[in-house]
Amino acid sequence: MLSKSQARAFFLGGTFLFSAIFVFLTIDSVRQNDTRTNAQNLTEDVLKGKEIWEKNNCMGCHTLLGEGAYYAPDLTKVVERRGVSWIDVFLDDPQAMFPGERKMVKYNFTKEEKGQVIAFLDWVGKIDANGWPPKPNIPVDSIATAVPSQTTANVVKVAQPEKFSQLCVACHAVGGKGGNVGPALDHVGSKFDADYLNRWLIDPQAIKPGTNMPKLPLSDTERKDIVTYLSALK
């Protein structure tokens, strides 16, 4: 048993010690803040994007750095995961990208506002958050090793178009690399001819009503390049 004086000394000593530790850790965190958040990259677009994020209460559904609601996906690393072009298209009409699956509001952002939101999300994604959010337990690469690919030669012959790597790989995989929302496209060239693929990219709903495939904003040249690439995957 401690005497009253010993208990008082123990209490005061513990309070002082842990208060000192708390103050030290606080000062250390503040000292590293600018470096770890890349404060030098806080451009006007990033600040405007944050204003749009707060004005539309995006954290009412999404999380950033573990803060926010868990109704919709965490967006801390969304630019790294999806890419700028995909997010730009998605913000135009979320429902069109995932018919019947997404309940995100269509905000009718201007091109400038979309750029500002993306700039803000890109800045957030580059914050040093000690590994947050954690990586998935099952790496995507392990799935690729389980599915042998027959398309390596075709990919070498026909380079993957930039627009395909920016948009299509978010949902589709080629050679085991890419998303798994839609079917893998390894042998799509042997299943469908160029005319069908072209008509499919122009308006997927016209070919298969109810499909989850969105109508992508592709120029004639971009669509032609993708069709040429897909036709080579046999």
Side-chain angles (χ1 to χ4, degrees):
M1 292 290 292
L2 297 175
S3 64
K4 288 185 178 180
S5 60
Q6 289 174 325
R8 185 182 301 109
F10 182 79
F11 172 77
L12 293 175
T15 300
F16 175 79
L17 174 63
F18 288 105
S19 295
I21 292 173
F22 175 78
V23 170
F24 169 77
L25 292 175
T26 300
I27 294 173
D28 185 59
S29 296
V30 172
R31 179 178 60 82
Q32 298 183 55
N33 189 61
D34 286 351
T35 301
R36 299 186 67 168
T37 60
N38 299 306
Q40 71 278 5
N41 296 330
L42 278 171
T43 63
E44 188 66 26
D45 280 347
V46 172
L47 297 176
K48 289 289 186 181
K50 184 176 184 293
E51 289 181 9
I52 295 172
W53 173 270
E54 294 177 342
K55 178 182 178 181
N56 291 282
N57 190 32
C58 300
M59 291 186 76
C61 294
H62 296 280
T63 58
L64 282 180
L65 302 169
E67 293 291 329
Y70 287 84
Y71 176 73
D74 180 281
L75 299 182
T76 304
K77 297 286 186 179
V78 67
V79 175
E80 176 185 315
R81 188 172 70 250
R82 291 292 196 179
V84 171
S85 295
W86 191 93
I87 298 173
D88 185 75
V89 173
F90 180 79
L91 288 175
D92 280 335
D93 190 349
Q95 283 284 343
M97 292 294 281
F98 296 93
E101 295 183 17
R102 286 291 186 269
K103 301 188 183 300
M104 180 170 163
V105 177
K106 182 179 180 181
Y107 288 103
N108 296 314
F109 293 135
T110 64
K111 184 175 182 60
E112 182 182 25
E113 288 172 332
K114 287 191 299 177
Q116 291 166 344
V117 171
I118 293 171
F120 169 63
L121 293 174
D122 184 45
W123 175 78
V124 169
K126 293 175 180 175
I127 291 175
D128 181 358
N130 285 327
W132 180 269
K135 299 291 184 182
N137 292 330
I138 303 177
V140 175
D141 290 344
S142 67
I143 300 175
T145 59
V147 184
S149 173
Q150 304 290 330
T151 62
T152 304
N154 291 328
V155 175
V156 172
K157 290 179 182 178
V158 181
Q160 191 175 92
E162 182 180 6
K163 213 65 177 180
F164 184 93
S165 61
Q166 291 175 341
L167 296 176
C168 306
V169 295
C171 297
H172 298 281
V174 173
K177 296 183 178 180
N180 59 4
V181 176
L185 300 178
D186 294 278
H187 306 291
V188 69
S190 63
K191 298 175 183 177
F192 306 106
D193 60 25
D195 177 65
Y196 179 90
L197 293 172
N198 185 62
R199 288 187 290 112
W200 175 263
L201 289 174
I202 290 175
D203 190 355
Q205 292 292 334
I207 304 298
K208 186 180 179 181
T211 181
N212 287 338
M213 172 76 179
K215 183 178 180 180
L216 300 175
L218 301 171
S219 67
D220 291 342
T221 300
E222 291 168 340
R223 189 175 67 254
K224 181 181 178 181
D225 290 342
I226 293 176
V227 169
T228 300
Y229 171 69
L230 294 177
S231 297
L233 300 179
K234 298 181 178 180

PDB file of all heavy atoms in Angstrom, residues 28-40 123-132:
ATOM      1  N   ASP A  28       6.223  17.564 -32.299  1.00  0.00           N
ATOM      2  CA  ASP A  28       6.863  16.790 -33.356  1.00  0.00           C
ATOM      3  C   ASP A  28       5.930  16.637 -34.555  1.00  0.00           C
ATOM      4  O   ASP A  28       6.354  16.726 -35.716  1.00  0.00           O
ATOM      5  CB  ASP A  28       7.260  15.411 -32.826  1.00  0.00           C
ATOM      6  CG  ASP A  28       8.046  14.599 -33.844  1.00  0.00           C
ATOM      7  OD1 ASP A  28       9.112  15.074 -34.282  1.00  0.00           O
ATOM      8  OD2 ASP A  28       7.587  13.497 -34.212  1.00  0.00           O
ATOM      9  N   SER A  29       4.637  16.411 -34.301  1.00  0.00           N
ATOM     10  CA  SER A  29       3.660  16.271 -35.386  1.00  0.00           C
ATOM     11  C   SER A  29       3.516  17.579 -36.166  1.00  0.00           C
ATOM     12  O   SER A  29       3.487  17.582 -37.401  1.00  0.00           O
ATOM     13  CB  SER A  29       2.297  15.849 -34.826  1.00  0.00           C
ATOM     14  OG  SER A  29       2.367  14.568 -34.239  1.00  0.00           O
ATOM     15  N   VAL A  30       3.421  18.694 -35.426  1.00  0.00           N
ATOM     16  CA  VAL A  30       3.293  20.002 -36.071  1.00  0.00           C
ATOM     17  C   VAL A  30       4.545  20.314 -36.895  1.00  0.00           C
ATOM     18  O   VAL A  30       4.469  20.862 -37.998  1.00  0.00           O
ATOM     19  CB  VAL A  30       3.041  21.102 -35.017  1.00  0.00           C
ATOM     20  CG1 VAL A  30       3.110  22.477 -35.665  1.00  0.00           C
ATOM     21  CG2 VAL A  30       1.696  20.887 -34.340  1.00  0.00           C
ATOM     22  N   ARG A  31       5.720  19.946 -36.365  1.00  0.00           N
ATOM     23  CA  ARG A  31       6.978  20.203 -37.053  1.00  0.00           C
ATOM     24  C   ARG A  31       7.043  19.475 -38.398  1.00  0.00           C
ATOM     25  O   ARG A  31       7.588  19.986 -39.366  1.00  0.00           O
ATOM     26  CB  ARG A  31       8.149  19.760 -36.161  1.00  0.00           C
ATOM     27  CG  ARG A  31       9.534  19.954 -36.768  1.00  0.00           C
ATOM     28  CD  ARG A  31      10.603  19.527 -35.781  1.00  0.00           C
ATOM     29  NE  ARG A  31      10.467  18.122 -35.423  1.00  0.00           N
ATOM     30  CZ  ARG A  31      10.932  17.110 -36.167  1.00  0.00           C
ATOM     31  NH1 ARG A  31      11.536  17.369 -37.313  1.00  0.00           N
ATOM     32  NH2 ARG A  31      10.791  15.866 -35.766  1.00  0.00           N
ATOM     33  N   GLN A  32       6.459  18.277 -38.470  1.00  0.00           N
ATOM     34  CA  GLN A  32       6.513  17.477 -39.691  1.00  0.00           C
ATOM     35  C   GLN A  32       5.325  17.731 -40.625  1.00  0.00           C
ATOM     36  O   GLN A  32       5.295  17.204 -41.734  1.00  0.00           O
ATOM     37  CB  GLN A  32       6.520  15.982 -39.343  1.00  0.00           C
ATOM     38  CG  GLN A  32       7.709  15.534 -38.523  1.00  0.00           C
ATOM     39  CD  GLN A  32       7.667  14.033 -38.281  1.00  0.00           C
ATOM     40  OE1 GLN A  32       7.590  13.243 -39.213  1.00  0.00           O
ATOM     41  NE2 GLN A  32       7.692  13.646 -37.015  1.00  0.00           N
ATOM     42  N   ASN A  33       4.377  18.524 -40.152  1.00  0.00           N
ATOM     43  CA  ASN A  33       3.119  18.672 -40.876  1.00  0.00           C
ATOM     44  C   ASN A  33       3.295  19.134 -42.321  1.00  0.00           C
ATOM     45  O   ASN A  33       2.746  18.530 -43.251  1.00  0.00           O
ATOM     46  CB  ASN A  33       2.211  19.656 -40.129  1.00  0.00           C
ATOM     47  CG  ASN A  33       0.811  19.683 -40.712  1.00  0.00           C
ATOM     48  OD1 ASN A  33       0.114  18.685 -40.736  1.00  0.00           O
ATOM     49  ND2 ASN A  33       0.411  20.858 -41.199  1.00  0.00           N
ATOM     50  N   ASP A  34       4.059  20.207 -42.529  1.00  0.00           N
ATOM     51  CA  ASP A  34       4.215  20.751 -43.878  1.00  0.00           C
ATOM     52  C   ASP A  34       4.871  19.762 -44.823  1.00  0.00           C
ATOM     53  O   ASP A  34       4.473  19.621 -45.985  1.00  0.00           O
ATOM     54  CB  ASP A  34       5.043  22.044 -43.833  1.00  0.00           C
ATOM     55  CG  ASP A  34       4.248  23.213 -43.280  1.00  0.00           C
ATOM     56  OD1 ASP A  34       3.027  23.055 -43.093  1.00  0.00           O
ATOM     57  OD2 ASP A  34       4.841  24.272 -43.029  1.00  0.00           O
ATOM     58  N   THR A  35       5.882  19.043 -44.319  1.00  0.00           N
ATOM     59  CA  THR A  35       6.585  18.079 -45.164  1.00  0.00           C
ATOM     60  C   THR A  35       5.707  16.890 -45.519  1.00  0.00           C
ATOM     61  O   THR A  35       5.629  16.478 -46.680  1.00  0.00           O
ATOM     62  CB  THR A  35       7.862  17.576 -44.449  1.00  0.00           C
ATOM     63  OG1 THR A  35       8.707  18.694 -44.166  1.00  0.00           O
ATOM     64  CG2 THR A  35       8.603  16.584 -45.327  1.00  0.00           C
ATOM     65  N   ARG A  36       5.024  16.344 -44.529  1.00  0.00           N
ATOM     66  CA  ARG A  36       4.240  15.124 -44.755  1.00  0.00           C
ATOM     67  C   ARG A  36       2.955  15.388 -45.533  1.00  0.00           C
ATOM     68  O   ARG A  36       2.392  14.468 -46.122  1.00  0.00           O
ATOM     69  CB  ARG A  36       3.930  14.452 -43.417  1.00  0.00           C
ATOM     70  CG  ARG A  36       5.192  14.048 -42.667  1.00  0.00           C
ATOM     71  CD  ARG A  36       4.899  13.254 -41.435  1.00  0.00           C
ATOM     72  NE  ARG A  36       4.330  11.952 -41.764  1.00  0.00           N
ATOM     73  CZ  ARG A  36       4.190  10.974 -40.887  1.00  0.00           C
ATOM     74  NH1 ARG A  36       4.572  11.147 -39.635  1.00  0.00           N
ATOM     75  NH2 ARG A  36       3.655   9.827 -41.244  1.00  0.00           N
ATOM     76  N   THR A  37       2.476  16.615 -45.531  1.00  0.00           N
ATOM     77  CA  THR A  37       1.268  16.933 -46.291  1.00  0.00           C
ATOM     78  C   THR A  37       1.589  17.598 -47.623  1.00  0.00           C
ATOM     79  O   THR A  37       0.680  17.976 -48.357  1.00  0.00           O
ATOM     80  CB  THR A  37       0.344  17.872 -45.487  1.00  0.00           C
ATOM     81  OG1 THR A  37       1.033  19.091 -45.205  1.00  0.00           O
ATOM     82  CG2 THR A  37      -0.104  17.229 -44.197  1.00  0.00           C
ATOM     83  N   ASN A  38       2.899  17.735 -47.936  1.00  0.00           N
ATOM     84  CA  ASN A  38       3.297  18.394 -49.178  1.00  0.00           C
ATOM     85  C   ASN A  38       2.639  19.767 -49.302  1.00  0.00           C
ATOM     86  O   ASN A  38       1.966  20.078 -50.292  1.00  0.00           O
ATOM     87  CB  ASN A  38       2.926  17.530 -50.386  1.00  0.00           C
ATOM     88  CG  ASN A  38       3.630  16.180 -50.369  1.00  0.00           C
ATOM     89  OD1 ASN A  38       4.852  16.126 -50.277  1.00  0.00           O
ATOM     90  ND2 ASN A  38       2.870  15.102 -50.439  1.00  0.00           N
ATOM     91  N   ALA A  39       2.829  20.569 -48.266  1.00  0.00           N
ATOM     92  CA  ALA A  39       2.192  21.883 -48.203  1.00  0.00           C
ATOM     93  C   ALA A  39       2.561  22.764 -49.387  1.00  0.00           C
ATOM     94  O   ALA A  39       1.790  23.641 -49.784  1.00  0.00           O
ATOM     95  CB  ALA A  39       2.564  22.585 -46.897  1.00  0.00           C
ATOM     96  N   GLN A  40       3.721  22.515 -49.984  1.00  0.00           N
ATOM     97  CA  GLN A  40       4.151  23.326 -51.132  1.00  0.00           C
ATOM     98  C   GLN A  40       3.256  23.099 -52.349  1.00  0.00           C
ATOM     99  O   GLN A  40       3.272  23.895 -53.292  1.00  0.00           O
ATOM    100  CB  GLN A  40       5.615  23.016 -51.498  1.00  0.00           C
ATOM    101  CG  GLN A  40       5.852  21.662 -52.136  1.00  0.00           C
ATOM    102  CD  GLN A  40       5.952  20.519 -51.125  1.00  0.00           C
ATOM    103  OE1 GLN A  40       5.749  20.737 -49.926  1.00  0.00           O
ATOM    104  NE2 GLN A  40       6.277  19.341 -51.598  1.00  0.00           N
ATOM    105  N   TRP A 123      -4.006  15.710 -54.203  1.00  0.00           N
ATOM    106  CA  TRP A 123      -3.173  16.205 -53.112  1.00  0.00           C
ATOM    107  C   TRP A 123      -3.354  15.347 -51.858  1.00  0.00           C
ATOM    108  O   TRP A 123      -2.379  14.952 -51.215  1.00  0.00           O
ATOM    109  CB  TRP A 123      -3.515  17.659 -52.804  1.00  0.00           C
ATOM    110  CG  TRP A 123      -2.775  18.205 -51.617  1.00  0.00           C
ATOM    111  CD1 TRP A 123      -1.475  18.631 -51.575  1.00  0.00           C
ATOM    112  CD2 TRP A 123      -3.295  18.363 -50.290  1.00  0.00           C
ATOM    113  NE1 TRP A 123      -1.152  19.048 -50.301  1.00  0.00           N
ATOM    114  CE2 TRP A 123      -2.245  18.885 -49.497  1.00  0.00           C
ATOM    115  CE3 TRP A 123      -4.532  18.111 -49.705  1.00  0.00           C
ATOM    116  CZ2 TRP A 123      -2.413  19.165 -48.141  1.00  0.00           C
ATOM    117  CZ3 TRP A 123      -4.702  18.379 -48.359  1.00  0.00           C
ATOM    118  CH2 TRP A 123      -3.646  18.905 -47.595  1.00  0.00           C
ATOM    119  N   VAL A 124      -4.596  15.022 -51.538  1.00  0.00           N
ATOM    120  CA  VAL A 124      -4.873  14.185 -50.365  1.00  0.00           C
ATOM    121  C   VAL A 124      -4.183  12.828 -50.504  1.00  0.00           C
ATOM    122  O   VAL A 124      -3.596  12.308 -49.553  1.00  0.00           O
ATOM    123  CB  VAL A 124      -6.397  13.980 -50.183  1.00  0.00           C
ATOM    124  CG1 VAL A 124      -6.672  12.902 -49.141  1.00  0.00           C
ATOM    125  CG2 VAL A 124      -7.066  15.282 -49.768  1.00  0.00           C
ATOM    126  N   GLY A 125      -4.243  12.261 -51.706  1.00  0.00           N
ATOM    127  CA  GLY A 125      -3.674  10.944 -51.930  1.00  0.00           C
ATOM    128  C   GLY A 125      -2.165  10.888 -51.763  1.00  0.00           C
ATOM    129  O   GLY A 125      -1.591   9.803 -51.578  1.00  0.00           O
ATOM    130  N   LYS A 126      -1.498  12.037 -51.820  1.00  0.00           N
ATOM    131  CA  LYS A 126      -0.037  12.075 -51.706  1.00  0.00           C
ATOM    132  C   LYS A 126       0.443  12.479 -50.318  1.00  0.00           C
ATOM    133  O   LYS A 126       1.634  12.652 -50.088  1.00  0.00           O
ATOM    134  CB  LYS A 126       0.527  13.028 -52.763  1.00  0.00           C
ATOM    135  CG  LYS A 126       0.318  12.512 -54.180  1.00  0.00           C
ATOM    136  CD  LYS A 126       0.773  13.507 -55.229  1.00  0.00           C
ATOM    137  CE  LYS A 126       0.542  12.936 -56.636  1.00  0.00           C
ATOM    138  NZ  LYS A 126       0.868  13.919 -57.696  1.00  0.00           N
ATOM    139  N   ILE A 127      -0.497  12.616 -49.382  1.00  0.00           N
ATOM    140  CA  ILE A 127      -0.124  12.900 -47.995  1.00  0.00           C
ATOM    141  C   ILE A 127       0.527  11.651 -47.388  1.00  0.00           C
ATOM    142  O   ILE A 127       0.068  10.536 -47.607  1.00  0.00           O
ATOM    143  CB  ILE A 127      -1.365  13.294 -47.166  1.00  0.00           C
ATOM    144  CG1 ILE A 127      -1.888  14.669 -47.610  1.00  0.00           C
ATOM    145  CG2 ILE A 127      -1.058  13.310 -45.677  1.00  0.00           C
ATOM    146  CD1 ILE A 127      -3.172  15.083 -46.923  1.00  0.00           C
ATOM    147  N   ASP A 128       1.596  11.842 -46.645  1.00  0.00           N
ATOM    148  CA  ASP A 128       2.244  10.732 -45.948  1.00  0.00           C
ATOM    149  C   ASP A 128       1.433  10.408 -44.701  1.00  0.00           C
ATOM    150  O   ASP A 128       1.545  11.069 -43.678  1.00  0.00           O
ATOM    151  CB  ASP A 128       3.679  11.121 -45.570  1.00  0.00           C
ATOM    152  CG  ASP A 128       4.425   9.998 -44.867  1.00  0.00           C
ATOM    153  OD1 ASP A 128       3.816   8.927 -44.644  1.00  0.00           O
ATOM    154  OD2 ASP A 128       5.607  10.181 -44.540  1.00  0.00           O
ATOM    155  N   ALA A 129       0.588   9.387 -44.807  1.00  0.00           N
ATOM    156  CA  ALA A 129      -0.313   9.032 -43.704  1.00  0.00           C
ATOM    157  C   ALA A 129       0.090   7.719 -43.040  1.00  0.00           C
ATOM    158  O   ALA A 129      -0.756   6.986 -42.528  1.00  0.00           O
ATOM    159  CB  ALA A 129      -1.749   8.952 -44.219  1.00  0.00           C
ATOM    160  N   ASN A 130       1.377   7.426 -43.054  1.00  0.00           N
ATOM    161  CA  ASN A 130       1.882   6.212 -42.411  1.00  0.00           C
ATOM    162  C   ASN A 130       1.194   4.944 -42.932  1.00  0.00           C
ATOM    163  O   ASN A 130       0.820   4.062 -42.168  1.00  0.00           O
ATOM    164  CB  ASN A 130       1.717   6.285 -40.885  1.00  0.00           C
ATOM    165  CG  ASN A 130       2.740   7.202 -40.237  1.00  0.00           C
ATOM    166  OD1 ASN A 130       3.867   7.317 -40.710  1.00  0.00           O
ATOM    167  ND2 ASN A 130       2.344   7.885 -39.173  1.00  0.00           N
ATOM    168  N   GLY A 131       1.019   4.891 -44.251  1.00  0.00           N
ATOM    169  CA  GLY A 131       0.469   3.672 -44.844  1.00  0.00           C
ATOM    170  C   GLY A 131      -1.039   3.576 -44.866  1.00  0.00           C
ATOM    171  O   GLY A 131      -1.593   2.518 -45.188  1.00  0.00           O
ATOM    172  N   TRP A 132      -1.730   4.665 -44.536  1.00  0.00           N
ATOM    173  CA  TRP A 132      -3.198   4.645 -44.584  1.00  0.00           C
ATOM    174  C   TRP A 132      -3.670   5.153 -45.939  1.00  0.00           C
ATOM    175  O   TRP A 132      -3.117   6.112 -46.446  1.00  0.00           O
ATOM    176  CB  TRP A 132      -3.802   5.514 -43.475  1.00  0.00           C
ATOM    177  CG  TRP A 132      -5.303   5.497 -43.518  1.00  0.00           C
ATOM    178  CD1 TRP A 132      -6.119   6.357 -44.192  1.00  0.00           C
ATOM    179  CD2 TRP A 132      -6.154   4.536 -42.912  1.00  0.00           C
ATOM    180  NE1 TRP A 132      -7.426   6.007 -44.042  1.00  0.00           N
ATOM    181  CE2 TRP A 132      -7.482   4.880 -43.262  1.00  0.00           C
ATOM    182  CE3 TRP A 132      -5.932   3.407 -42.116  1.00  0.00           C
ATOM    183  CZ2 TRP A 132      -8.578   4.139 -42.827  1.00  0.00           C
ATOM    184  CZ3 TRP A 132      -7.023   2.682 -41.696  1.00  0.00           C
ATOM    185  CH2 TRP A 132      -8.326   3.052 -42.036  1.00  0.00           C
TER     186      TRP A 132
END
